[in-house]
Amino acid sequence: MQPSPDDARTADRSFPEGGSPAPAPAPAPTGTAPELAFRPSLFRSFFLGGFECSTHRRRDGQRLDLLRSTRHDALVAADYRQLAGHGIRSVRDGVRWHLIETAPGHYDWSSALPAIRAARETGTQVAWDLCHYGWPDGLDVYSAAFVDRFAAYSRAFARLHLEETGEAPMVCPVNEISFFAWAGGEAGLMNPCDTDPERAGDLKCQLVRAALAGTRAVREAAPGARILAIDPIISIVPRPGQDPTDARGRNEGQFHAWDMIAGRLAPGLGGSPDMLDVLGVNYYWNNQWLHGGEREPLLPGDPRHTPLRDLLVAVHARYGRPVFMAETSIEGERRAPWFRYVGEEVRAAMRAGVPMEGICLYPVLSHPGWDDDRYCPNGLLELRDGEGERPVHEPLSAELSAQRGLFRALCGAP
């Protein structure tokens, strides 16, 4: 199995000089009928905020816990209220399996209950990541026990959510299976820290098994649950004179996890069309690049760059499922121009018939980097010491307000 390459997900999200998107469009008119008949309905707000919730072990053995590092776990209610002030009533957040399953089959929900209750109290809709790269120590990711324990944990969470809120949850069972398989199975950047491309294929299949088992368990425990399948969309371009075979294979590989979940590929894993519910696509400025070497990013305006709208159209044409932008961001002062560019491309995709359900600012809260804890200024909100509201990146806040008006005019988005 050819694994998908990574989405160039690194701590550095700065947008290179010369690649800035076009100036902001004029504000949308108010009080007019929406341009499109399609009206997004999956989320309470078209724009979501995603909290970085990685819990993997790095290759040096250190366990990350970004919810703790950003103090979101302690300030979750305040964070949700602050986002509501920006019109964001839906978020992506994480459940930390390694903290919850203290022994096989024994669950301590003290790390998850505050967020579940804060969401209920603030009227925030949450899409929960059940496995965001991390799992309990001592559990072999390649073992049958991994799948069984993940399914049991997923079922237990769904029951808990139903008991606490009266509603079936919205979950992403395993986040970014394709990137996960590359980073953990081929590049050795995170657990299980393998460096064999064939092992990456094994890891991808195993993560799909777990995702399918988790999906079934959640649906059994809480009928009506919505399931998000989230992965990067990419475009790799071969260099002049380079054999294009590997680049083509890796481009096709970005779809393998979704194909497996849908039962189109490796049907022995147990996939079927009904297992694929909502597609979440992640897209950063460096999700298109030249194959091999330094992997130079291909930016908007480069003739080798594929417009984001075309990538979205292709994904929807392949699967016919609702789509949302599950992650997008950039570092520094280019946050607002990048967000403007993404909004323009998503609107173009919607005009071409793609049922886009939302755009998630991910991360919505700046955070310490994966590798060296350096500060990554890529959120709408910034970290701060002490209490009180988090500082706001005002240019991005203003752009968010403008984009909300544009999508309201386009499709009546909430």
Side-chain angles (χ1 to χ4, degrees):
M1 182 63 61
Q2 175 65 55
S4 296
D6 73 304
D7 62 346
R9 180 174 187 164
T10 65
D12 184 3
R13 301 289 193 181
S14 56
F15 198 52
E17 293 292 341
S20 298
T30 58
T32 58
E35 176 184 338
L36 299 180
F38 170 75
R39 182 180 177 87
S41 60
L42 182 63
F43 301 112
R44 290 180 188 169
S45 59
F46 187 80
F47 291 101
L48 295 80
F51 291 92
E52 171 63 83
C53 55
S54 297
T55 61
H56 58 280
R57 286 196 179 276
R58 304 186 313 204
R59 70 172 107 201
D60 62 4
Q62 179 176 327
R63 165 86 70 181
L64 297 189
D65 185 344
L66 272 295
L67 293 180
R68 181 186 62 202
S69 299
T70 58
R71 299 186 67 222
H72 175 62
D73 56 354
L75 302 175
V76 57
D79 286 342
Y80 288 170
R81 290 191 186 97
Q82 189 167 2
L83 290 188
H86 293 272
I88 296 176
R89 304 307 301 266
S90 299
V91 303
R92 286 188 64 196
D93 216 326
V95 186
R96 292 169 287 179
W97 185 14
H98 75 288
L99 295 180
I100 290 167
E101 191 173 8
T102 56
H106 295 273
Y107 307 113
D108 175 359
W109 297 108
S110 60
S111 63
L113 281 170
I116 294 173
R117 291 169 180 170
R120 183 188 62 203
E121 292 163 5
T122 62
T124 302
Q125 178 191 35
V126 183
W128 303 97
D129 284 5
L130 300 184
C131 178
H132 201 109
Y133 309 138
W135 57 83
D137 290 333
L139 179 58
D140 179 3
V141 69
Y142 295 109
S143 68
F146 181 89
V147 176
D148 293 342
R149 283 175 59 179
F150 181 71
Y153 150 72
S154 300
R155 182 180 295 106
F157 173 78
R159 287 174 177 163
L160 177 75
H161 192 278
L162 194 59
E163 292 168 359
E164 285 286 325
T165 69
E167 298 178 351
M170 179 182 294
V171 302
C172 172
V174 181
N175 179 63
E176 285 193 325
I177 291 174
S178 294
F179 172 78
F180 198 162
W182 176 84
E186 181 176 347
L189 300 176
M190 65 167 73
N191 48 214
C193 301
D194 290 326
T195 55
D196 182 345
E198 292 189 6
R199 197 59 161 161
D202 294 339
L203 180 57
K204 183 179 288 188
C205 289
Q206 181 71 342
L207 295 174
V208 169
R209 288 188 190 96
L212 290 169
T215 295
R216 293 188 179 96
V218 167
R219 287 175 170 174
E220 289 168 2
R226 299 305 302 266
I227 309 298
L228 311 179
I230 297 174
D231 244 325
I233 50 174
I234 61 172
S235 177
I236 307 171
V237 176
R239 297 172 186 273
Q242 186 181 60
D243 183 346
T245 302
D246 190 53
R248 288 174 181 168
R250 289 178 178 267
N251 280 327
E252 181 62 22
Q254 71 184 292
F255 303 113
H256 285 172
W258 287 326
D259 285 350
M260 291 174 182
I261 291 170
R264 300 180 180 183
L265 183 66
L269 297 176
S272 61
D274 64 304
M275 290 289 103
L276 198 62
D277 184 5
V278 178
L279 295 183
V281 297
N282 297 346
Y283 189 79
Y284 296 95
W285 67 268
N286 47 7
N287 275 40
Q288 301 192 44
W289 66 89
L290 289 175
H291 188 43
E294 297 297 321
R295 293 177 44 172
E296 297 92 336
L298 298 175
L299 307 175
D302 190 308
R304 298 165 296 182
H305 173 93
T306 300
L308 172 57
R309 66 189 70 182
D310 293 348
L311 299 179
L312 295 171
V313 167
V315 166
H316 180 251
R318 186 172 180 128
Y319 298 105
R321 295 293 191 271
V323 182
F324 81 107
M325 183 69 65
E327 294 184 19
T328 193
S329 69
I330 201 166
E331 281 197 8
E333 296 307 311
R334 296 176 178 84
R335 278 175 272 189
W338 174 256
F339 191 58
R340 184 181 312 133
Y341 165 75
V342 169
E344 291 168 356
E345 291 296 301
V346 168
R347 287 192 297 279
M350 293 177 75
R351 291 188 178 101
V354 181
M356 295 294 300
E357 290 284 354
I359 299 174
C360 183
L361 276 165
Y362 195 103
V364 75
L365 173 63
S366 298
H367 60 90
W370 280 11
D371 297 328
D372 54 12
D373 293 332
R374 77 170 184 86
Y375 188 61
C376 300
N378 49 11
L380 172 67
L381 308 180
E382 307 286 6
L383 297 185
R384 64 167 298 165
D385 295 327
E387 303 302 321
E389 287 199 339
R390 300 186 189 268
V392 175
H393 184 70
E394 294 297 343
L396 184 54
S397 174
E399 187 60 42
L400 172 61
S401 179
Q403 291 297 322
R404 289 179 64 205
L406 290 166
F407 279 95
R408 191 177 302 114
L410 178 72
C411 59

